[in-house]
Amino acid sequence: MHAALVGPLLAALLVTTRARPQPPDGGQCRPPGSQRDLNSFLWTIRRDPPAYLFGTIHVPYTRVWDFIPDNSKAAFQASARVYFELDLTDPYTISALASCQLLPHGENLQDVLPRELYWRLKRHLDYVKLMMPSWMTPAQRGKGLYADYLFNAIAGNWERKRPVWVMLMVNSLTETDVRSRGVPVLDLYLAQQAEKMKKSTGAVERVEEQCHPLNGLNFSQV
């Protein structure tokens, strides 16, 4: 049977033909002696072939790649099938995610937020737009990324979005996050690598399964 990697939520299931060695001391943690001894968060599901649950995180992959132990990377390399939370390489997924963030019935954020909160938000976004050119790196400019384009890519159409999605957007509009734009998050990076390696890829969730719980939050919960 072929190895496979599957990813629900912030995790991925990995099927390989070799079981992960069990610690000889009953599972007690030890200080890592080398990079290979780091806790990989690669969990065994006993079956034939065995399956593994691998946790990922939605941050630029360069922040965490060096901390992913070799056993996890080797398992990914050996996998013939890879399944992620969502298929972030599919244009439909990206389009559906954008659509689900919009307020219904043509409403605008100004219609649903308290007036003072709306204007505080607008002033903050004006500040971010003003500061963004100074936040960007030479490497980003070398790739053809410019401040206006990047701001619109992140915050474009913000007045039409539901409050919960605006909150998530604002949280990502920091100098540190702006400087990392253009670097794929770990999930997307693994999906891109899987495609380059001609692995079979797929998703275990639909966009609606992610959007509906967030869109169901009321204003007091955001």
Side-chain angles (χ1 to χ4, degrees):
M1 295 179 67
H2 293 294
L5 184 71
V6 184
L9 292 178
L10 299 183
L13 275 178
L14 175 67
V15 179
T16 66
T17 56
R18 181 179 298 177
R20 182 185 179 190
Q22 298 299 313
D25 54 359
Q28 295 297 316
C29 295
R30 295 178 177 178
S34 69
Q35 197 269 347
R36 290 181 301 174
D37 296 326
L38 291 171
N39 190 339
S40 64
F41 299 101
L42 188 66
W43 302 92
T44 301
I45 299 174
R46 299 188 184 280
R47 47 162 289 174
D48 185 20
Y52 294 90
L53 183 69
F54 176 58
T56 65
I57 187 170
H58 297 299
V59 298
Y61 83 94
T62 50
R63 293 188 190 175
V64 296
W65 190 251
D66 290 342
F67 299 95
I68 298 176
D70 292 340
N71 67 336
S72 300
K73 294 175 181 176
F76 176 77
Q77 291 277 345
S79 299
R81 298 186 301 275
V82 187
Y83 300 91
F84 297 95
E85 172 187 359
L86 293 173
D87 185 358
L88 297 178
T89 64
D90 182 359
Y92 167 77
T93 299
I94 305 305
S95 175
L97 281 171
S99 296
C100 85
Q101 297 178 22
L102 300 180
L103 285 161
H105 315 304
E107 290 180 319
N108 288 299
L109 202 57
Q110 194 169 10
D111 300 326
V112 298
L113 285 185
R115 179 180 176 84
E116 176 58 26
L117 180 58
Y118 171 83
W119 285 107
R120 282 173 55 197
L121 172 62
K122 190 175 188 309
R123 287 193 297 269
H124 177 71
L125 292 177
D126 288 342
Y127 162 78
V128 169
K129 188 173 184 178
L130 179 67
M131 295 300 297
M132 192 168 283
S134 65
W135 290 351
M136 295 187 64
T137 67
Q140 287 174 315
R141 296 189 185 94
K143 294 178 181 178
L145 290 175
Y146 293 94
D148 285 345
Y149 169 82
L150 194 56
F151 180 84
N152 288 329
I154 301 171
N157 209 24
W158 66 269
E159 294 190 80
R160 286 279 292 112
K161 291 184 178 181
R162 296 171 184 262
V164 64
W165 295 102
V166 173
M167 178 191 70
L168 295 173
M169 178 196 76
V170 169
N171 287 342
S172 70
L173 282 171
T174 65
E175 181 175 357
T176 299
D177 286 327
V178 167
R179 285 176 172 271
S180 67
R181 286 286 172 161
V183 178
V185 295
L186 180 59
D187 307 62
L188 178 57
Y189 175 74
L190 290 174
Q192 292 171 339
Q193 293 303 304
E195 284 199 336
K196 288 180 181 178
M197 297 174 189
K198 307 299 183 183
K199 299 178 185 293
S200 174
T201 62
V204 297
E205 290 186 11
R206 294 178 292 112
V207 170
E208 295 77 12
E209 292 173 318
Q210 289 216 342
C211 283
H212 289 172
L214 286 174
N215 289 347
L217 297 175
N218 60 46
F219 292 154
S220 68
Q221 296 171 310
V222 175

